[in-house]
Amino acid sequence: MGRTRTYQWDDPATLAEAAGRMAGIDFLRALRTGDLPGPPINYTLDYTLDEVESGRVVFSLTPGEEHYNPIGSVHGGIFATLLDSAAGAAVHSTLPQGVGYTSLDLTVKFLRRITVDTGAVRAIGTVVSKSRQTALAQAQLVDADDRLLAHATSSCMLFPAPPS
């Protein structure tokens, strides 16, 4: 065992409290600029939130060996996590203060193998449809040449955020 990786994170309760008192787009922009600390999952997988606009977000990740499955490529769970994050954050970017969401489902299609040689990948999430109680979002995982690596759809339930 010659390889190690160390990382740290801030108390996630800080984020939960901020999410309840901010509009979704303001919350995500504060994450992107570093005004709020990233959630622990960002440090665990080493991905970043790069772009935020209403109904659209972009996350990026540079694949490393720490993301590999036993057969020498990036684990599908990494794909799914990036796609789930992008789809959910796209929905979150449209929510007013006091409204929360949770994923109801996630359907992922894996289209290409990813390795460290793939280079940086981007997960682009967009809202497809939104009503008062649900939202449908999609996310695409692409490489630097915009080749589609994976695709996902996610249904989200919207609800009043619990008081902080």
Side-chain angles (χ1 to χ4, degrees), residues 38-57:
I41 190 70
N42 288 54
Y43 302 109
T44 301
L45 297 182
D46 197 21
Y47 68 100
T48 59
L49 176 58
D50 297 325
E51 297 177 35
V52 176
E53 58 189 77
S54 184
R56 183 181 181 277
V57 300

Side-chain angles (χ1 to χ4, degrees), residues 47-52 56-62 78-90 114 119-126 138-144 146-152:
Y47 68 100
T48 59
L49 176 58
D50 297 325
E51 297 177 35
V52 176
R56 183 181 181 277
V57 300
V58 179
F59 286 93
S60 65
L61 169 111
T62 300
I78 304 298
F79 286 57
T81 300
L82 285 170
L83 293 165
D84 182 54
S85 296
I114 297 176
V121 297
R122 293 175 299 131
I124 304 160
T126 56
Q138 69 173 352
Q140 295 183 330
L141 190 64
V142 298
D143 66 11
D146 285 330
R147 285 185 301 180
L148 187 61
L149 306 170
H151 180 268

Side-chain angles (χ1 to χ4, degrees), residues 4-19:
T4 62
R5 184 166 170 252
T6 304
Y7 58 95
Q8 61 186 23
W9 61 91
D10 292 291
D11 181 356
T14 303
L15 289 176
E17 187 276 325

Side-chain angles (χ1 to χ4, degrees), residues 15-28 88-103 130-135 156-164:
L15 289 176
E17 187 276 325
R21 66 176 161 76
M22 300 173 77
I25 196 159
D26 296 331
F27 176 77
L28 291 167
V91 169
H92 195 175
S93 73
T94 68
L95 301 180
Q97 178 183 352
V99 177
Y101 77 97
T102 189
S103 298
K130 181 173 161 265
S131 68
R132 287 185 356 196
Q133 296 180 334
T134 61
C156 295
M157 179 175 61
L158 311 181
F159 54 85
S164 52

